[in-house]
Amino acid sequence: GLYYLIVYAIMNVGAFAAIGYLERDGKQGAVQTVADLNGLGYKHPFLGVALTIFLFSLAGFPPFAGFLGKYAVFAPALAAGRMDLVVVGVLASAASAYYYLRILVALFMTGSEATEEEADVAHRPLDRSGGMVIAVSAILLIVMGLWPALIERVASLL
């Protein structure tokens, strides 16, 4: 439970930091719909790769920490014989994966029809603090997915 809570917080902080960067244009917001993300994975590769990590982790794909987090939630229910809860959880995860993958399709598999002003968002430099939050979140999701015992090791040091 605690592992999933930590992982879920990291996934969302990173994803919201990346989308928040795209929203800052001093006006209404550069990104309002999924279609506004079309082609941004190529125009801003750092954000594209980071969002890919966050979305795959949120969907529960290995080797990211989100997979182990979901496993940590579903395994006790399965051990308790609550197959009904596991089935509902897996179906909900599958449904959410559809929506997460739509964003990835927009980022990398759909061409941009952005205006000149909207294209400037892709060329605006990412500030250091925002970039660090996004990078650290993405790295943590990979490391925690590959070495889940790391959380226990760090907690034992505290």
Side-chain angles (χ1 to χ4, degrees):
L2 180 60
Y3 181 83
Y4 186 72
L5 179 65
I6 292 168
V7 168
Y8 191 75
I10 294 169
M11 292 184 292
N12 281 291
V13 164
F16 278 99
I19 295 297
Y21 161 77
L22 296 172
E23 278 290 317
R24 290 181 306 161
D25 68 349
K27 299 176 189 157
Q28 181 180 7
V31 175
Q32 296 292 318
T33 66
V34 172
D36 293 333
L37 295 171
N38 288 352
L40 272 175
Y42 293 109
K43 292 176 190 164
H44 212 304
F46 172 73
L47 287 179
V49 169
L51 278 169
T52 300
I53 291 168
F54 301 138
L55 294 171
F56 275 151
S57 191
L58 280 162
F61 287 103
F64 305 107
F67 171 76
L68 293 174
K70 287 184 187 241
Y71 177 79
V73 169
F74 294 149
L78 190 59
R82 296 298 312 263
M83 188 61 145
D84 55 334
L85 290 177
V86 174
V87 168
V88 169
V90 169
L91 290 175
S93 292
S96 68
Y98 166 77
Y99 291 101
Y100 298 139
L101 294 177
R102 274 187 57 209
I103 295 170
L104 293 177
V105 167
L107 284 170
F108 294 106
M109 298 177 193
T110 308
S112 175
E113 298 167 7
T115 65
E116 188 85 20
E117 183 179 318
E118 293 166 339
D120 286 342
V121 171
H123 301 293
R124 190 178 70 235
L126 185 63
D127 61 66
R128 179 174 284 167
S129 60
M132 288 299 293
V133 167
I134 294 167
V136 168
S137 297
I139 290 167
L140 280 173
L141 291 176
I142 294 169
V143 169
M144 290 169 62
L146 295 174
W147 296 287
L150 181 67
I151 294 249
E152 292 175 22
R153 296 277 306 203
V154 170
S156 70
L157 297 174
L158 301 176

